[in-house]
Amino acid sequence: AWPYANGPLHIGHIAGCYLPADIFARFHRMIGNEVLMVSGSDQHGTPITIRADQEGVTPQTIVDRYHNIFLQCWDKIGISFDLFTSTMTKNHAGVVEKIFSKLLEKGHIYKSSMSQPFCSKDNRFLPDRYVEGVCPNCDFEGARGDQCDNCGRTLDPEDLREIKCRICSDTPTFRDSEHFFLKLTDFQDSLESWIETQNHWRTNVKNFSKSYVQKGLKDRAITRDIDWGVPVPIEGYENKRIYVWFEAVIGYLSASIEWSESKESRNWEDFWTGNSKGYYFIGKDNIPFHT
């Protein structure tokens, strides 16, 4: 998994993702398999800007600080990444923009308006994590605008009850804003069939993913009214950025490409085709977005 560069690592990160991945990678190297283990710091999205707002500094200051701390941790603990990069690289932005453009070209991305929370006091649209309220599914009072950490359900800000702005605690109003949507409904049947064949997955992961898809996928906005993130590669949308959860999971691919460019004799495609297998070490709260 790609840790958000908005705070230090803790024992849960190490036990949940990075130590198991390192043991697994070292084992396969020892028995003669070729291994590429990559990750990086997730440097976009509202967790970064919220931390920057709290400290009165720029988002860049925050990500630089914690990315360096991550690198020191891996070195001290001995985690054997082939590459630990970040979502701030030109390479990552380029790969994300290519995928966005290709999906748009194929009709899997389209423009539409959506209702978004707007804080009159702060005079700004509020991205997902800038709002919180009561989860409509489990009544948890600290649910965020993108997900409830209590029940794991993915949310949109308009789903929350008793919604409030995390900056000033005022109640926001909802206004329309034009965004790009990923047409997830195009992939409903193919994903449902594909998940059925993944018999090597952990039972809880397969059941969660299967249930998530069977409930019916909904098209989802993949841009945000924010100035921190990968730019939308379309003229006229300079004030919007690509949604962090769309671009961050592309990091596994973009990191592989970056690694191969630094090793001129190695081809990243060898690890993404043929008999190669991909393994993802993530926390349980990441399952919906990776699905």
Side-chain angles (χ1 to χ4, degrees), residues 103-123:
L103 288 168
L104 184 65
E105 175 189 319
K106 288 180 174 291
H108 298 310
I109 289 177
Y110 62 92
K111 287 186 288 186
S112 184
S113 291
M114 64 180 291
S115 182
Q116 279 195 282
F118 183 89
C119 181
S120 299
K121 185 174 181 179
D122 296 307
N123 194 33

Side-chain angles (χ1 to χ4, degrees), residues 237-258:
Y237 293 88
E238 292 78 12
N239 293 327
K240 298 181 189 292
R241 294 293 182 269
I242 296 175
Y243 181 39
V244 64
W245 266 110
F246 177 86
E247 57 99 351
V249 293
I250 292 172
Y252 303 106
L253 173 63
S254 68
S256 303
I257 294 171
E258 182 183 342

Side-chain angles (χ1 to χ4, degrees), residues 11-30:
I11 193 67
H13 289 114
I14 305 302
C17 295
Y18 307 109
L19 184 58
D22 190 60
I23 293 169
F24 187 78
R26 287 174 182 268
F27 167 75
H28 279 281
R29 293 184 192 118
M30 288 174 69

Side-chain angles (χ1 to χ4, degrees), residues 35-233:
V35 175
L36 174 59
M37 186 169 84
V38 297
S39 185
S41 58
D42 189 346
Q43 300 194 349
H44 294 139
T46 50
I48 310 298
T49 56
I50 288 173
R51 184 64 179 254
D53 289 343
Q54 289 171 342
E55 295 192 16
V57 298
T58 65
Q60 190 67 56
T61 299
I62 297 296
V63 298
D64 287 346
R65 178 199 305 163
Y66 290 109
H67 182 71
N68 288 329
I69 290 174
F70 295 163
L71 294 176
Q72 293 168 18
C73 284
W74 308 142
D75 183 56
K76 290 178 180 178
I77 297 171
I79 305 296
S80 57
F81 284 115
D82 291 290
L83 176 66
F84 186 82
T85 181
S86 82
T87 56
M88 283 288 286
T89 66
K90 289 183 179 179
N91 168 73
H92 177 71
V95 174
V96 170
E97 289 174 359
K98 282 182 181 178
I99 289 177
F100 181 97
S101 298
K102 180 61 71 173
L103 288 168
L104 184 65
E105 175 189 319
K106 288 180 174 291
H108 298 310
I109 289 177
Y110 62 92
K111 287 186 288 186
S112 184
S113 291
M114 64 180 291
S115 182
Q116 279 195 282
F118 183 89
C119 181
S120 299
K121 185 174 181 179
D122 296 307
N123 194 33
R124 61 182 293 181
F125 280 104
L126 300 173
D128 304 340
R129 296 201 181 195
Y130 273 76
V131 295
E132 64 180 20
V134 178
C135 174
N137 186 54
C138 69
D139 296 327
F140 178 62
E141 294 184 358
R144 305 190 306 260
D146 62 347
Q147 185 179 18
C148 174
D149 286 339
N150 187 57
C151 67
R153 182 177 178 177
T154 54
L155 300 168
D156 289 311
E158 60 190 12
D159 297 329
L160 296 173
R161 304 197 311 268
E162 300 176 31
I163 188 173
K164 65 180 180 180
C165 170
R166 289 188 61 183
I167 304 171
C168 67
S169 296
D170 271 22
T171 301
T173 56
F174 281 82
R175 299 183 183 181
D176 286 344
S177 180
E178 187 177 57
H179 285 281
F180 288 88
F181 284 71
L182 176 61
K183 201 173 181 184
L184 285 170
T185 47
D186 283 351
F187 307 100
Q188 172 82 37
D189 294 339
S190 58
L191 277 175
E192 202 168 329
S193 299
W194 181 76
I195 288 173
E196 283 289 352
T197 67
Q198 307 308 304
N199 296 321
H200 59 290
W201 285 9
R202 287 174 179 265
T203 302
N204 72 304
V205 174
K206 183 173 181 178
N207 288 342
F208 192 111
S209 301
K210 187 176 175 180
S211 172
Y212 183 76
V213 175
Q214 286 180 338
K215 287 178 181 176
L217 295 178
K218 297 178 181 178
D219 296 349
R220 191 172 179 90
I222 56 168
T223 54
R224 291 293 185 269
D225 291 297
I226 191 173
D227 60 5
W228 183 254
V230 176
V232 178

